[in-house]
Amino acid sequence: ANGLRGTAVRRLAARVAGQVHEAARRCLGPGQGELDRAAFEEVFPWGALPGRDGCVALAPAVLAEGLLVPAGPGYRFAHEEVADWLQGTHLDVDGALTSLVHRYADGTDDGPPPGRALLVPRHRIGPVLQALLLLERQRGTAELAARLSRLTEAMEVLDAPGPGPGGTGSRAEARTASCSAGEVRARRAGPAAGDQQDTPAAGGPDPRADARWWARRLVGEVLTRVPDARPYLDVLHRLAARCPFPPEFWMALPLPEEDRYDLLRAVVPHDGPPGTEGRVLDAVAERLAAEPAAVQPHLTRWFTDESPLRATPDATVASAAQALLHTHRHRAIDDLTEALADCAHTRADELLGALAEDEPSAMCRAVDRWAHDDRAARRVAAVVWGLRTARHATGDADRALLRYAAGALLARPGDSSLHGAALALLVRDPRTRDRHLPTALKAFAEGDPWLPASALAAALTTHPELVLGAFRARLCGPDPAAGDLLRDLAHVTSPVPARRIAGLVREHVEQCPEAAGATAAYVELLLEHGPDVRAVLFPLVTALLGSGPTEVRRALAPVFAAPGGEASRPLRAELLDRLLAREQDPGVVEAVLRAVGGRCGDPERDRHLVQRAGLLLGRTPEGATRYDHVLVDLARGAPEFAGRLARWIADAPQDWAALVGPSARRTVEGLAGGVPVSV
């Protein structure tokens, strides 16, 4: 319409752009971010522009184009994002941050007097955000990181108790610190009710609370808007450790997942109790349920973190990750087994052990995959978990997978050290037992560490003489692994095989008294099976107590005196009575006494056993002296025992008068913290 072409149009565009920037700069002044009528007419005149290439008035042009729109008595930019960006290019970032946050955090200014509005309404946050983002684009990530770091320091100061109301931060403020862009735009339209939550009851804004709001919101919004948050990981780790931000903030950060879950791991200890809102652990659980294969490897890296959770101190970050993986195991269980195998951590082994019991089919699939894997570590995993899972694999399909895995291992000549485990799997399976049992028995006789006795024990029902002969050969010789062998045999509880094994154990300990400890461990494991093993256990123990070496009775004494599990307690008590009823050796009685004094069990039972030991040892002067020495030794090593003993003597002095000597009484009284024990 004005006949402008080429360079003249570009020149005009530059002039108009300059006027638009001038309008944006003026919008930064006091007010709600608009131009009053006088300023608008000065920047965009209504009349023709003399000397401007014949261009007509700018005011009607910018209004017709919709660049600015009328707003009350003035004008504002129609597009808020454009307005924020334009204003941000003219904002003094450091001056704005000082005015909004740092002067309150540094203690150099307490803000406006009560009853007066703050100079900068919260809904005008947009230009400050854009100025910070522009700082990164123009001057680099180091400049923005410095500002964010200082804002984080200010948050820590402002969250601490301060002189004004609202001196302590809240989770509500933390949730508002990372609201969405839509929420920010909504706030720019005018102050919202939520922005007034920090106003003291006396009237007027709280400057520290307002500064805290600005610091949290600026940090939260900037870090979720940058194209890559990795340059600010130091700031993020500081936030994770000290400043509560909601789960949405951490999930929205533009970060690789490895870095995100590393940060989430540091945030989890600050979660509220289960059932409360805003828990990071709940957000992680939702992500795990939605994308299990992607999240599982990241959670396995939490296994090294034993930091306690503040809301549930008995739980740790590691145990929480373990529980999450087990709870959501069904969504991608094959991926879970692979992630756990890659982890190589005790927590991963515990979870794999649980899967071997709860999900044997999945573990059989994993064992088959690992047995065919070219990685040596995977084939070792196939051996370890194949043996663990075989006890729980009852389906034909599961057993078939274990057979395939064993065949793959045997087909590798270079894996000869693993062949014993493969044979163990094949001997457990009735379909392949006949073919592979002779080879397995030979390997067992040679002491193959990967061929446990429990695998051969499965063949006791079909080939009892061959298997028992192999066990006898191992137990009758000087076998350093005899203890492991007896532990494996303790899991055989079927009546007929168990009785024959008990006979082998008796023969072994009579020939090798130094095996007393291993025999006692075998008896203790057998006890935990409860009344079902009574018919096997009692003949063995009766024989050992009657004709066995003294070393065996000394080893069995603490086993019977221990509380044990609920199923074994009646058996332990009955066997202990049998032991003490005819015991003459002071060392055996002392073993009972030390077993009771070394732990806290049922008080009445412990008192009875300590008294009974005193009566048995008190039959000779040497025994009485020995009893006193043991009591003093136990009291010095376990203050809680000293306290219990002092109370027993004080409650019934006549029962202890002939048992505890004066010197022992004085020692126990002193160690018990002044509880009088004198008669």
Side-chain angles (χ1 to χ4, degrees), residues 627-653:
Y627 181 69
D628 276 3
H629 287 169
V630 173
L631 289 182
V632 171
D633 190 33
L634 289 172
R636 287 173 175 168
E640 62 277 7
F641 175 75
R644 287 191 298 159
L645 181 58
R647 287 192 295 273
W648 293 337
I649 298 175
D651 291 342

Side-chain angles (χ1 to χ4, degrees), residues 390 395-396 398-404 422-436 455 458-459 462:
D396 291 339
D398 295 344
R399 288 178 174 174
L401 287 171
L402 294 180
R403 287 198 299 271
Y404 301 151
L423 290 170
L425 293 175
L426 294 170
V427 168
R428 280 184 178 275
D429 193 331
R431 290 193 180 186
T432 53
R433 181 176 299 159
D434 287 344
R435 177 183 173 188
H436 295 282
T462 57

Side-chain angles (χ1 to χ4, degrees), residues 353-438:
L355 294 180
E357 297 183 23
D358 301 337
E359 308 292 340
S361 295
M363 286 300 292
C364 287
R365 292 195 299 272
V367 168
D368 184 44
R369 289 195 306 272
W370 299 339
H372 291 83
D373 201 300
D374 289 334
R375 291 170 290 181
R378 279 291 197 270
R379 297 196 297 278
V380 172
V383 163
V384 172
W385 296 108
L387 294 173
R388 288 279 298 272
T389 308
R391 284 177 276 177
H392 309 285
T394 56
D396 291 339
D398 295 344
R399 288 178 174 174
L401 287 171
L402 294 180
R403 287 198 299 271
Y404 301 151
L409 292 170
L410 289 176
R412 289 179 177 267
D415 283 349
S416 58
S417 61
L418 305 180
H419 287 181
L423 290 170
L425 293 175
L426 294 170
V427 168
R428 280 184 178 275
D429 193 331
R431 290 193 180 186
T432 53
R433 181 176 299 159
D434 287 344
R435 177 183 173 188
H436 295 282
L437 182 59

Side-chain angles (χ1 to χ4, degrees), residues 58 210 448:
L58 288 180
D210 194 71
D448 191 316

Side-chain angles (χ1 to χ4, degrees), residues 30-374:
Q32 300 297 321
E34 76 284 347
L35 285 175
D36 59 30
R37 187 172 298 276
F40 175 79
E41 293 178 351
E42 183 179 350
V43 177
F44 304 110
W46 289 96
L49 304 178
R52 297 290 179 93
D53 296 323
C55 182
V56 297
L58 288 180
V62 297
L63 293 175
E65 291 291 340
L67 180 62
L68 282 89
V69 295
Y75 299 85
R76 63 176 176 82
F77 281 93
H79 301 282
E80 294 178 356
E81 289 83 358
V82 174
D84 291 342
W85 173 72
L86 286 169
Q87 294 176 53
T89 62
H90 297 280
L91 185 68
D92 175 9
V93 176
D94 292 324
L97 296 181
T98 298
S99 176
L100 294 169
V101 178
H102 295 313
R103 61 175 176 168
Y104 306 112
D106 297 341
T108 56
D109 194 332
D110 291 330
R116 288 181 54 188
L118 292 173
L119 294 178
V120 182
R122 291 180 177 181
H123 67 274
R124 297 195 61 192
I125 190 174
V128 189
L129 289 174
Q130 292 298 330
L132 286 168
L133 294 170
L134 188 64
L135 187 68
E136 180 195 55
R137 291 193 294 269
Q138 291 183 341
R139 299 170 61 181
T141 58
E143 292 290 330
L144 178 57
R147 271 67 173 189
L148 293 176
S149 179
R150 193 169 177 215
L151 284 172
T152 302
E153 293 175 4
M155 270 192 282
E156 295 170 2
V157 173
L158 294 167
D159 279 343
T168 303
S170 67
R171 287 191 175 271
E173 292 168 352
R175 286 194 290 272
T176 63
S178 62
C179 68
S180 65
E183 291 176 297
V184 174
R185 288 194 294 271
R187 286 187 181 273
R188 290 180 202 142
D195 287 340
Q196 304 304 321
Q197 64 185 358
D198 297 317
T199 302
D206 174 12
R208 285 175 61 88
D210 194 71
R212 182 167 55 248
W213 184 94
W214 279 97
R216 288 184 181 278
R217 180 63 64 85
L218 289 172
V219 170
E221 285 288 335
V222 168
L223 286 172
T224 54
R225 292 183 181 211
V226 293
D228 183 1
R230 282 177 293 180
Y232 314 107
L233 281 174
D234 288 344
V235 173
L236 287 167
H237 279 289
R238 190 167 182 173
L239 292 175
R242 296 180 178 87
C243 306
F245 272 71
E248 296 79 13
F249 167 75
W250 304 104
M251 295 301 183
L253 290 170
L255 284 171
E257 292 301 284
E258 183 175 354
D259 291 324
R260 185 189 318 283
Y261 281 91
D262 192 36
L263 290 167
L264 291 171
R265 178 175 67 173
V267 179
V268 162
H270 308 290
D271 268 348
T276 57
E277 294 183 2
R279 297 178 78 235
V280 170
L281 205 58
D282 293 338
V284 172
E286 291 177 9
R287 183 73 69 90
L288 176 62
E291 306 173 54
V295 176
Q296 288 163 351
H298 299 299
L299 289 185
T300 61
R301 297 188 184 99
W302 291 15
F303 288 164
T304 59
D305 192 339
E306 295 295 340
S307 303
L309 307 186
R310 293 184 180 178
T312 51
D314 292 339
T316 66
V317 174
S319 65
Q322 194 179 47
L324 280 180
L325 290 170
H326 186 265
T327 300
H328 297 279
R329 64 188 184 276
H330 296 297
R331 297 183 179 273
I333 193 163
D334 290 334
D335 294 298
L336 176 58
T337 56
E338 295 300 323
L340 294 173
D342 285 334
C343 181
H345 189 274
T346 53
R347 289 273 185 184
D349 292 343
E350 291 172 2
L351 190 47
L352 284 170
L355 294 180
E357 297 183 23
D358 301 337
E359 308 292 340
S361 295
M363 286 300 292
C364 287
R365 292 195 299 272
V367 168
D368 184 44
R369 289 195 306 272
W370 299 339
H372 291 83
D373 201 300
D374 289 334

